[in-house]
């Protein structure tokens, strides 16, 4: 059956083996396509909101703040200020006469009430159009309150989520370097791109501490302003995630000479590699780190392997579809799924680059569909056509999977179960198995393409 | 505790909203559009808007929500969104083939002044709108009104643009159900059928957003008011608008453009409002309320009298949308409970007037506020000053419920953390029984939980 795609999207949908690989990507979404992508504000918010002792205020109409109110699984071990929703709730008269006064008044009253360590002000689409000078208001508020008041230029229409990440990184850079780094040892890192969803940052931090590496700050899971201020005292930046925090790592390298490496904590292989890579970096400072890393990996792998073997037996031959935001995670997922004996029949992302898609092509079998910036029609077509048993995605993909009657694993920012690290791998296998093997799918009248009822 | 930051001392706020009791217009327009059969809603603005609205509705209904977006860029914000919208209309008809595209604007497209009718004409000129299909629109900037006014605007505009005026009126009645759940719409239809009143319900999200699992992802589920049915609403004898905020504008549009007289009724929540609804229908259907419905009322009254000891004097805090807060407050006071705190982020003078009349003599201590600065933070501060026995409202209340250890029933929008609300009604006598069951359940669970052993009762 022909893929129902919009003509201009032809090069963003590719089935391996049918034609020579030539994918287009990093394009603006086709207007009218029911794209799953979000906006610049979304990108900024996911990076900065986990900073738990800072104030986050959205300068715009009520919607932007309302829809992002506490929807994330990013956990805090302390303050929960970031889980309240603050907005200047711009109304028509503010659009006409400007909202700067309202923003200033809000900032002052909020800072007085909550005494945060810093404040982030997010500009939304409308602020970009009416021309409120958010930078000026923030400067004034900073002088008046004595804490950093940082503007984030996250106007929705300025680009995609990636531009949001850049705006967030710029905001973070204004904090980095303003703190005291005395007492930080040589064997020290910052963990970048870890948002402590379901407490994953705590697990990862624990691994590093076990092998003798000091964690100066986590950007931004369970984040604290003071820790971020002294991040420039670390010797190495360990960056995960598709590079939401890459611009920051880049800038820290240029300004402070701190090198960075890219890692992933999804799956046994990638988690182990991350620890080894970090240990390797410090081998001249402290040879023990490498030894401890090997011990940790061996102990953890021995601990989880029997359970994983059980799950792999049950999942052998099942087919999965992966649709993520940034492509990086998908690489790890493909490896993990293979480890569990599963096949990947569809893989795609909202914001992948050419290199990312070339890597997918290299990793996957002929017949695998690869999609960029996809939409529900394409996704449901492939899920039905390829006989998918499991869909890995986020909030907008889940109902599609359930409607079609296939298992689902939420690997997005709402997840409640830690999926990173060694124990995380077992959690993942367990969640996948419970969903895929659930008896509920027996009740679904499955129709194959062609209309035959099973 | 999550809301340890809330202080009991209320300081006047000039500029800030904390934990809002409303959201913005476009999502209301999206929901209303989904109540049209074969409709693909379209968000004319940034991708973020559409993504958030779809995500929010998906989390509430646990259903896939389709909507196109014009995917505004910096360029469109400067030069206008015409190119994007024309391309979108073309793409949507070509690949998704809806019967109708319902466009709503966002703060961005409104502020740059995009003229939607002009853009749609251009698309038609260029042959981008297939024969027999149509494109409708509503202006719903996010900095005006609330999600309720967005819903109202889309309903009114749909009727204005599609309902065909007719000289000869048929014996049929329009019912605008307001922003209620698919389960409520089903219940309203059931009551209308029981009253033998020929009707057209618009919008109708039943069988759209509570669609069964078939193993198929239906882009256009079987439910929704059809375009021919909407067109015929101009020939109806009368329109019943349920809920002033969400439905009155639609009634006014049908009156202005098609000369269909209308009346505004409360959402039939609780005994009296349901009585008033059925009464209004009796006048026009010529049939009295059938025994089956009278019996339902009797069962509700029976339930109330049986369990009245658990209800009387209980203080209740409610928040949400005026259309259901008002009849619910009336119902609660009728069953001897005390709605003492009522908050809505949606503005409108009649809120104070209606609640004043309903509660003035029975609950004089009631505090109610709507519009700007009427948010959940204010509600929580009132509660910190003097607590309540029950909370009724959307999922955002769970933090207050946990912080204050107060029994809590979910109602309204959004409800992200429980199911059932979209399938089972809150309207009608049957809905009243369901509400009562939930209210009693949480109050009695707490009593059981807190009872010392000697007072822990088997029979309650």
């Amino acid at each position: 059956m022909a893929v129902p795609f919009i003509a201009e999207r032809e090069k963003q949908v590719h089935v391996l083996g049918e034609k020579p690989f030539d994918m287009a990507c990093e394009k603006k979404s086709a207007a009218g396509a029911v794209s799953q992508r979000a906006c610049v504000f979304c990108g900024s918010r996911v990076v900065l909101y986990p900073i738990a002792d800072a104030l986050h205020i959205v300068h715009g109409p009520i919607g932007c703040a309302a829809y992002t109110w506490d929807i994330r699984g990013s956990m805090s071990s302390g303050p929960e200020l970031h889980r309240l929703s603050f907005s200047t709730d711009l109304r028509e008269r503010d659009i006409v006469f400007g909202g700067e006064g309202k923003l200033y008044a809000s900032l002052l009253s909020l800072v007085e009430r909550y005494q945060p360590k810093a404040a982030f002000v997010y500009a939304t689409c409308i602020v970009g159009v009416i021309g409120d000078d958010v930078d000026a208001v923030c400067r004034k508020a900073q002088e008046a309150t004595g804490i950093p008041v940082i503007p984030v230029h996250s106007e929705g229409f300025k680009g995609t989520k990636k531009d949001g990440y850049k705006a967030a990184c710029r905001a973070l850079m204004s904090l980095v370097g303003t703190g005291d780094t005395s007492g930080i040892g040589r064997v020290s890192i910052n963990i970048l791109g870890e948002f402590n969803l379901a407490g994953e940052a705590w697990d990862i931090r624990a691994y590093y501490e076990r092998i003798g590496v000091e964690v100066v700050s986590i950007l931004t899971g369970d984040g604290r302003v003071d820790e971020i201020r002294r991040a420039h005292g670390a010797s190495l930046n360990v960056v995960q995630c598709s590079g939401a925090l890459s611009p920051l790592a880049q800038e820290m390298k240029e300004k402070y000479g701190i090198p960075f490496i890219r890692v992933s904590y999804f799956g046994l292989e990638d988690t182990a590699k991350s620890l080894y890579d970090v240990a390797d970096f410090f081998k001249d400072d402290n040879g023990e780190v490498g030894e401890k890393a090997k011990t940790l990996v061996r102990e953890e792998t021995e601990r989880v392997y029997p359970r994983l073997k059980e799950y792999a037996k049950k999942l052998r031959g099942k087919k999965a579809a992966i649709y993520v935001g940034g492509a990086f995670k998908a690489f790890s997922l493909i490896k993990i799924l293979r480890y569990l004996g599963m096949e990947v029949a569809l893989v795609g992302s909202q914001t992948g680059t050419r290199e990312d898609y070339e890597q997918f092509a290299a990793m996957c079998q002929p017949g695998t569909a690869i999609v960029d910036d996809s939409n529900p029609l394409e996704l449901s077509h492939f899920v039905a056509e390829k006989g998918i048993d499991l869909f890995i995605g986020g909030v907008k993909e889940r109902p599609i999977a359930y409607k079609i009657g296939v298992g689902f694993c939420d690997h997005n920012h709402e997840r409640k179960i830690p999926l990173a690290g060694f124990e995380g791998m077992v959690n993942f296998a367990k969640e996948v198995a419970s969903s895929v093997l659930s008896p509920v799918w027996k009740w679904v009248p499955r129709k194959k393409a062609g209309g035959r009822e099973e | 505790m999550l809301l340890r930051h809330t202080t009991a001392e209320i300081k006047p706020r000039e500029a800030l909203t904390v934990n809002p009791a409303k959201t913005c217009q476009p999502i209301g327009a999206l929901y209303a559009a989904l109540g049209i059969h074969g409709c693909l809603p379209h968000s004319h603005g940034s991708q973020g808007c559409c993504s958030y609205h779809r995500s929010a509705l998906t989390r509430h209904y646990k259903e896939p929500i389709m909507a196109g977006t014009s995917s505004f860029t910096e360029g469109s914000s400067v030069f206008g969104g015409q190119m994007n919208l024309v391309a979108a209309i073309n793409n949507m008809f070509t690949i998704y083939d809806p019967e109708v595209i319902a466009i709503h604007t966002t703060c961005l497209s409104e502020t740059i002044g995009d003229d939607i009718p002009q853009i749609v004409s251009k698309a038609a000129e260029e042959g981008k709108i297939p024969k027999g299909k149509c494109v409708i629109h509503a202006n719903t900037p996010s900095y005006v009104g609330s999600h309720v006014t967005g819903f109202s605007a889309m309903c009114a505009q749909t009727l204005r643009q599609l309902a065909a005026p007719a000289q000869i009126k048929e014996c049929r009645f329009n019912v605008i159900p307001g922003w209620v759940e698919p389960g409520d719409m089903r219940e309203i239809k059931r009551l209308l059928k029981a009253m033998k009143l020929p009707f057209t319900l618009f919008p109708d999200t039943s069988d759209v957003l509570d669609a069964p699992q078939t193993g198929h992802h239906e882009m256009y589920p079987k439910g929704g008011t059809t375009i021919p049915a909407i067109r015929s609403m101009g020939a109806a004898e009368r329109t019943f608008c349920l809920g002033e905020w969400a439905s009155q504008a639609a009634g006014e549009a049908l009156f202005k453009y098609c000369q269909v007289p209308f009346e505004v009724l409360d959402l039939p929540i609780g005994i009296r409002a349901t009585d008033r609804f059925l009464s209004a229908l009796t006048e026009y259907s010529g049939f009295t309320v059938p025994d089956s419905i009278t019996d339902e009322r009797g069962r509700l009254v029976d339930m109330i009298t049986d369990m009245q000891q658990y209800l009387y004097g209980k203080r209740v805090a409610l928040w949400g949308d005026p259309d259901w807060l008002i009849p619910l407050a009336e119902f609660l006071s009728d069953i001897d409970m005390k709605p003492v705190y009522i908050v809505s982020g949606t503005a409108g003078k009649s809120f104070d007037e209606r609640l004043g009349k309903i509660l003035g003599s029975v609950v004089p201590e009631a505090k109610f506020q709507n519009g700007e600065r009427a948010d959940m933070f204010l509600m929580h501060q009132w509660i910190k000053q003097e607590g309540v026995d029950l909370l009724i409202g959307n999922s955002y209340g769970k933090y207050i419920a946990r912080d204050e250890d107060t029994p809590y029933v979910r109602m309204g929008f959004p409800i992200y953390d429980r199911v059932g609300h979209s399938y089972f009604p809150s309207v009608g006598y049957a809905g009243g029984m369901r509400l009562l069951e939930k209210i009693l359940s949480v109050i009695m669970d707490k009593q059981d939980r807190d009872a010392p052993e000697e007072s822990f009762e088997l029979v309650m």
Side-chain angles (χ1 to χ4, degrees), chain B residues 173-208:
Chain B
F173 297 85
N174 301 323
V175 180
I176 320 282
W179 188 323
V180 289
E181 299 282 21
D184 292 315
M185 295 187 184
R186 269 183 214 282
E187 177 64 10
I188 291 171
K189 286 194 284 192
R190 187 183 73 93
L191 289 172
L192 291 165
K193 287 199 188 106
M195 294 298 292
K196 300 203 184 35
L197 197 84
F199 67 90
T200 308
L201 187 80
F202 166 75
D204 185 2
T205 56
S206 62
D207 273 322
V208 180

Short mmCIF file of all heavy atoms in Angstrom, two decimals, chain B residues 173-208:
data_model
loop_
_atom_site.label_atom_id
_atom_site.label_comp_id
_atom_site.label_asym_id
_atom_site.label_seq_id
_atom_site.Cartn_x
_atom_site.Cartn_y
_atom_site.Cartn_z
N PHE B 173 -35.36 21.24 16.66
CA PHE B 173 -34.76 22.15 17.62
C PHE B 173 -33.25 21.99 17.65
O PHE B 173 -32.73 20.87 17.56
CB PHE B 173 -35.35 21.90 19.01
CG PHE B 173 -36.82 22.18 19.05
CD1 PHE B 173 -37.72 21.20 18.65
CD2 PHE B 173 -37.29 23.43 19.42
CE1 PHE B 173 -39.08 21.46 18.64
CE2 PHE B 173 -38.65 23.70 19.40
CZ PHE B 173 -39.55 22.72 19.01
N ASN B 174 -32.58 23.13 17.74
CA ASN B 174 -31.13 23.08 17.88
C ASN B 174 -30.77 23.05 19.35
O ASN B 174 -31.36 23.77 20.15
CB ASN B 174 -30.49 24.33 17.28
CG ASN B 174 -30.83 24.49 15.81
OD1 ASN B 174 -30.91 23.52 15.07
ND2 ASN B 174 -31.03 25.74 15.39
N VAL B 175 -29.79 22.22 19.69
CA VAL B 175 -29.31 22.21 21.07
C VAL B 175 -27.79 22.40 21.03
O VAL B 175 -27.08 21.63 20.38
CB VAL B 175 -29.66 20.89 21.79
CG1 VAL B 175 -29.14 20.91 23.22
CG2 VAL B 175 -31.16 20.67 21.77
N ILE B 176 -27.35 23.47 21.69
CA ILE B 176 -25.92 23.72 21.79
C ILE B 176 -25.51 23.30 23.20
O ILE B 176 -25.86 23.97 24.17
CB ILE B 176 -25.58 25.22 21.60
CG1 ILE B 176 -26.42 25.85 20.50
CG2 ILE B 176 -24.09 25.40 21.38
CD1 ILE B 176 -25.97 25.55 19.11
N PRO B 177 -24.80 22.20 23.33
CA PRO B 177 -24.57 21.64 24.67
C PRO B 177 -23.49 22.33 25.48
O PRO B 177 -23.34 22.06 26.67
CB PRO B 177 -24.15 20.20 24.38
CG PRO B 177 -23.48 20.29 23.05
CD PRO B 177 -24.21 21.36 22.28
N GLY B 178 -22.72 23.22 24.85
CA GLY B 178 -21.66 23.87 25.61
C GLY B 178 -20.46 22.97 25.79
O GLY B 178 -20.41 21.87 25.23
N TRP B 179 -19.49 23.44 26.54
CA TRP B 179 -18.28 22.65 26.73
C TRP B 179 -18.55 21.58 27.77
O TRP B 179 -18.33 21.78 28.95
CB TRP B 179 -17.11 23.53 27.15
CG TRP B 179 -15.82 22.76 27.16
CD1 TRP B 179 -15.62 21.46 27.55
CD2 TRP B 179 -14.55 23.25 26.79
NE1 TRP B 179 -14.30 21.12 27.42
CE2 TRP B 179 -13.61 22.19 26.96
CE3 TRP B 179 -14.08 24.48 26.32
CZ2 TRP B 179 -12.25 22.33 26.66
CZ3 TRP B 179 -12.73 24.61 26.03
CH2 TRP B 179 -11.82 23.54 26.20
N VAL B 180 -19.02 20.43 27.28
CA VAL B 180 -19.20 19.29 28.17
C VAL B 180 -18.50 18.09 27.56
O VAL B 180 -18.03 18.15 26.43
CB VAL B 180 -20.71 18.97 28.37
CG1 VAL B 180 -21.37 20.04 29.21
CG2 VAL B 180 -21.41 18.80 27.04
N GLU B 181 -18.46 17.00 28.29
CA GLU B 181 -17.75 15.81 27.82
C GLU B 181 -18.62 15.03 26.82
O GLU B 181 -19.84 15.18 26.80
CB GLU B 181 -17.44 14.91 29.02
CG GLU B 181 -16.56 15.55 30.07
CD GLU B 181 -15.09 15.57 29.68
OE1 GLU B 181 -14.79 15.46 28.48
OE2 GLU B 181 -14.24 15.68 30.57
N PRO B 182 -17.97 14.17 26.02
CA PRO B 182 -18.75 13.32 25.12
C PRO B 182 -19.84 12.53 25.84
O PRO B 182 -20.94 12.38 25.33
CB PRO B 182 -17.68 12.37 24.54
CG PRO B 182 -16.40 13.11 24.67
CD PRO B 182 -16.53 13.98 25.88
N GLY B 183 -19.52 12.06 27.03
CA GLY B 183 -20.51 11.32 27.82
C GLY B 183 -21.72 12.18 28.16
O GLY B 183 -22.85 11.70 28.21
N ASP B 184 -21.47 13.48 28.40
CA ASP B 184 -22.57 14.40 28.68
C ASP B 184 -23.42 14.61 27.43
O ASP B 184 -24.64 14.69 27.49
CB ASP B 184 -22.04 15.76 29.15
CG ASP B 184 -21.37 15.68 30.51
OD1 ASP B 184 -21.95 15.03 31.41
OD2 ASP B 184 -20.28 16.26 30.67
N MET B 185 -22.72 14.73 26.29
CA MET B 185 -23.46 14.94 25.04
C MET B 185 -24.36 13.74 24.76
O MET B 185 -25.51 13.91 24.33
CB MET B 185 -22.49 15.20 23.90
CG MET B 185 -21.73 16.51 24.12
SD MET B 185 -20.72 16.97 22.73
CE MET B 185 -19.88 18.42 23.34
N ARG B 186 -23.84 12.54 25.03
CA ARG B 186 -24.69 11.35 24.85
C ARG B 186 -25.91 11.41 25.74
O ARG B 186 -27.02 11.05 25.32
CB ARG B 186 -23.91 10.10 25.29
CG ARG B 186 -23.15 9.44 24.24
CD ARG B 186 -22.50 8.17 24.79
NE ARG B 186 -21.24 8.01 24.12
CZ ARG B 186 -21.14 7.53 22.88
NH1 ARG B 186 -22.21 7.15 22.24
NH2 ARG B 186 -19.97 7.45 22.31
N GLU B 187 -25.70 11.83 26.97
CA GLU B 187 -26.79 11.87 27.94
C GLU B 187 -27.84 12.90 27.52
O GLU B 187 -29.04 12.67 27.60
CB GLU B 187 -26.24 12.19 29.33
CG GLU B 187 -27.26 12.34 30.43
CD GLU B 187 -28.05 11.07 30.73
OE1 GLU B 187 -27.68 10.00 30.21
OE2 GLU B 187 -29.05 11.16 31.46
N ILE B 188 -27.36 14.06 27.05
CA ILE B 188 -28.29 15.09 26.59
C ILE B 188 -29.11 14.55 25.42
O ILE B 188 -30.33 14.73 25.36
CB ILE B 188 -27.53 16.37 26.20
CG1 ILE B 188 -26.95 17.03 27.46
CG2 ILE B 188 -28.43 17.36 25.46
CD1 ILE B 188 -26.00 18.17 27.21
N LYS B 189 -28.46 13.83 24.51
CA LYS B 189 -29.19 13.24 23.38
C LYS B 189 -30.22 12.23 23.88
O LYS B 189 -31.35 12.16 23.37
CB LYS B 189 -28.21 12.57 22.41
CG LYS B 189 -27.42 13.58 21.57
CD LYS B 189 -26.71 12.95 20.39
CE LYS B 189 -25.48 12.19 20.80
NZ LYS B 189 -24.64 11.82 19.62
N ARG B 190 -29.82 11.46 24.85
CA ARG B 190 -30.74 10.44 25.39
C ARG B 190 -31.98 11.11 25.97
O ARG B 190 -33.11 10.66 25.76
CB ARG B 190 -30.01 9.60 26.44
CG ARG B 190 -30.82 8.42 26.96
CD ARG B 190 -30.05 7.68 28.05
NE ARG B 190 -30.04 8.42 29.29
CZ ARG B 190 -30.93 8.26 30.28
NH1 ARG B 190 -31.91 7.38 30.15
NH2 ARG B 190 -30.83 8.98 31.38
N LEU B 191 -31.78 12.21 26.71
CA LEU B 191 -32.90 12.92 27.31
C LEU B 191 -33.78 13.54 26.23
O LEU B 191 -35.01 13.47 26.30
CB LEU B 191 -32.39 14.01 28.26
CG LEU B 191 -31.75 13.51 29.56
CD1 LEU B 191 -31.12 14.67 30.33
CD2 LEU B 191 -32.76 12.80 30.44
N LEU B 192 -33.15 14.11 25.21
CA LEU B 192 -33.92 14.71 24.12
C LEU B 192 -34.78 13.66 23.42
O LEU B 192 -35.93 13.90 23.08
CB LEU B 192 -32.99 15.38 23.10
CG LEU B 192 -32.27 16.65 23.59
CD1 LEU B 192 -31.12 17.01 22.66
CD2 LEU B 192 -33.24 17.82 23.68
N LYS B 193 -34.18 12.47 23.23
CA LYS B 193 -34.94 11.39 22.57
C LYS B 193 -36.09 10.95 23.47
O LYS B 193 -37.20 10.71 23.00
CB LYS B 193 -34.04 10.19 22.27
CG LYS B 193 -33.09 10.44 21.13
CD LYS B 193 -32.53 9.15 20.54
CE LYS B 193 -31.45 9.45 19.54
NZ LYS B 193 -30.08 9.15 20.02
N ALA B 194 -35.80 10.86 24.77
CA ALA B 194 -36.86 10.45 25.70
C ALA B 194 -38.01 11.46 25.69
O ALA B 194 -39.17 11.10 25.85
CB ALA B 194 -36.30 10.31 27.11
N MET B 195 -37.69 12.72 25.47
CA MET B 195 -38.70 13.78 25.42
C MET B 195 -39.32 13.87 24.04
O MET B 195 -40.13 14.76 23.78
CB MET B 195 -38.06 15.13 25.78
CG MET B 195 -37.57 15.22 27.21
SD MET B 195 -38.92 15.05 28.39
CE MET B 195 -39.82 16.56 28.08
N LYS B 196 -38.89 12.97 23.12
CA LYS B 196 -39.43 12.92 21.76
C LYS B 196 -39.31 14.27 21.06
O LYS B 196 -40.19 14.69 20.32
CB LYS B 196 -40.89 12.48 21.78
CG LYS B 196 -41.12 11.10 22.39
CD LYS B 196 -42.42 10.54 21.86
CE LYS B 196 -42.86 9.21 22.42
NZ LYS B 196 -42.60 8.88 23.79
N LEU B 197 -38.20 14.92 21.27
CA LEU B 197 -37.98 16.22 20.63
C LEU B 197 -37.01 16.04 19.47
O LEU B 197 -35.88 15.65 19.69
CB LEU B 197 -37.36 17.17 21.66
CG LEU B 197 -37.45 18.64 21.32
CD1 LEU B 197 -38.78 19.19 21.75
CD2 LEU B 197 -36.33 19.42 21.99
N PRO B 198 -37.46 16.31 18.23
CA PRO B 198 -36.51 16.20 17.11
C PRO B 198 -35.44 17.27 17.25
O PRO B 198 -35.77 18.44 17.43
CB PRO B 198 -37.37 16.46 15.87
CG PRO B 198 -38.76 16.72 16.35
CD PRO B 198 -38.75 16.88 17.83
N PHE B 199 -34.19 16.88 17.16
CA PHE B 199 -33.14 17.84 17.47
C PHE B 199 -31.91 17.68 16.59
O PHE B 199 -31.70 16.64 15.96
CB PHE B 199 -32.71 17.68 18.92
CG PHE B 199 -32.03 16.36 19.19
CD1 PHE B 199 -30.65 16.23 19.07
CD2 PHE B 199 -32.77 15.24 19.56
CE1 PHE B 199 -30.02 15.01 19.29
CE2 PHE B 199 -32.15 14.02 19.80
CZ PHE B 199 -30.77 13.90 19.66
N THR B 200 -31.12 18.75 16.58
CA THR B 200 -29.76 18.68 16.05
C THR B 200 -28.85 19.15 17.17
O THR B 200 -29.03 20.26 17.69
CB THR B 200 -29.56 19.63 14.84
OG1 THR B 200 -30.58 19.40 13.89
CG2 THR B 200 -28.20 19.39 14.21
N LEU B 201 -27.91 18.32 17.55
CA LEU B 201 -26.98 18.70 18.61
C LEU B 201 -25.69 19.17 17.96
O LEU B 201 -25.10 18.46 17.15
CB LEU B 201 -26.68 17.50 19.52
CG LEU B 201 -25.85 17.83 20.77
CD1 LEU B 201 -26.74 18.43 21.84
CD2 LEU B 201 -25.15 16.59 21.31
N PHE B 202 -25.25 20.36 18.29
CA PHE B 202 -23.98 20.85 17.76
C PHE B 202 -23.29 21.69 18.81
O PHE B 202 -23.91 22.57 19.39
CB PHE B 202 -24.20 21.69 16.49
CG PHE B 202 -22.98 22.47 16.13
CD1 PHE B 202 -21.88 21.85 15.55
CD2 PHE B 202 -22.88 23.83 16.41
CE1 PHE B 202 -20.72 22.55 15.26
CE2 PHE B 202 -21.74 24.55 16.12
CZ PHE B 202 -20.65 23.91 15.54
N PRO B 203 -21.99 21.51 19.05
CA PRO B 203 -21.14 20.43 18.53
C PRO B 203 -21.42 19.11 19.24
O PRO B 203 -22.07 19.11 20.29
CB PRO B 203 -19.73 20.93 18.86
CG PRO B 203 -19.87 21.90 19.96
CD PRO B 203 -21.26 22.45 19.92
N ASP B 204 -20.95 18.02 18.67
CA ASP B 204 -21.19 16.71 19.26
C ASP B 204 -19.91 15.88 19.20
O ASP B 204 -19.53 15.37 18.15
CB ASP B 204 -22.31 16.00 18.49
CG ASP B 204 -22.70 14.66 19.12
OD1 ASP B 204 -22.12 14.31 20.18
OD2 ASP B 204 -23.57 13.98 18.57
N THR B 205 -19.25 15.80 20.33
CA THR B 205 -17.98 15.06 20.34
C THR B 205 -18.14 13.60 20.76
O THR B 205 -17.15 12.89 20.94
CB THR B 205 -16.95 15.74 21.27
OG1 THR B 205 -17.53 15.87 22.56
CG2 THR B 205 -16.56 17.09 20.74
N SER B 206 -19.39 13.16 20.94
CA SER B 206 -19.56 11.75 21.29
C SER B 206 -19.28 10.93 20.03
O SER B 206 -19.59 11.36 18.93
CB SER B 206 -20.96 11.48 21.82
OG SER B 206 -21.94 11.75 20.85
N ASP B 207 -18.65 9.78 20.21
CA ASP B 207 -18.18 8.95 19.09
C ASP B 207 -17.08 9.64 18.29
O ASP B 207 -16.76 9.22 17.18
CB ASP B 207 -19.32 8.55 18.14
CG ASP B 207 -20.00 7.28 18.61
OD1 ASP B 207 -19.28 6.39 19.11
OD2 ASP B 207 -21.24 7.21 18.52
N VAL B 208 -16.55 10.71 18.84
CA VAL B 208 -15.34 11.31 18.26
C VAL B 208 -14.23 11.15 19.28
O VAL B 208 -13.17 10.59 18.99
CB VAL B 208 -15.54 12.81 17.93
CG1 VAL B 208 -14.27 13.38 17.32
CG2 VAL B 208 -16.72 13.01 17.00
#
